[in-house]
Amino acid sequence: VQLQASGGGLVQAGGSLRLSCAASGSTLSLYDMGWYRQAPGKERELVADISSGGKTNYADSVKGRFTISRDNAKNTVYLQMNSLKFDDTAVYYCNAETVLPVAGLVNYWGKGTQVTVSS
């Protein structure tokens, strides 16, 4: 599975961005998908994830501001980010995970997209 994240950029605090993660090489509907982020000097952390069945989960720091969604027909996962804060500045990565019959747990990462929020 190849994952391509896009949609990052520079935005003022309080603004919005929508990240997209397009998948190729496999059917996205089989995978649990997640958005992670890594700020300078910090560990990578989970921002939000969505199961293959559509169940969502969010980090406390983004609840009520970010929304993760998926469009399996387009093989794409989105992260709508509203009311952005300076602390949301990070490189954002998308992740795909599933359990295959023979290989077991498999995990794929896309290249990140930079989100910079100016205060």
Side-chain angles (χ1 to χ4, degrees):
V1 176
Q2 292 79 47
L3 303 174
Q4 180 65 52
S6 61
L10 174 63
V11 63
Q12 289 187 334
S16 298
L17 284 174
R18 188 176 81 154
L19 305 184
S20 299
C21 176
S24 60
S26 187
T27 303
L28 196 63
S29 62
L30 301 176
Y31 293 81
D32 297 332
M33 301 297 298
W35 284 100
Y36 291 73
R37 67 186 180 187
Q38 187 166 18
K42 295 186 177 180
E43 294 186 354
R44 189 173 297 188
E45 62 176 359
L46 175 69
V47 176
D49 57 29
I50 183 167
S51 71
S52 58
K55 183 178 180 180
T56 59
N57 174 59
Y58 297 92
D60 287 343
S61 59
V62 306
K63 280 181 181 177
R65 300 188 298 121
F66 289 12
T67 302
I68 188 170
S69 62
R70 63 192 302 158
D71 186 336
N72 291 333
K74 294 183 177 180
N75 247 19
T76 302
V77 174
Y78 304 97
L79 184 69
Q80 178 66 44
M81 305 187 295
N82 299 328
S83 302
L84 281 161
K85 304 176 181 180
F86 177 77
D87 289 347
D88 295 320
T89 297
V91 178
Y92 284 70
Y93 299 89
C94 62
N95 172 269
E97 182 177 288
T98 193
V99 178
L100 298 178
V102 176
L105 181 67
V106 293
N107 198 289
Y108 301 97
W109 292 92
K111 292 183 179 180
T113 184
Q114 176 72 47
V115 172
T116 303
V117 183
S118 61
S119 57

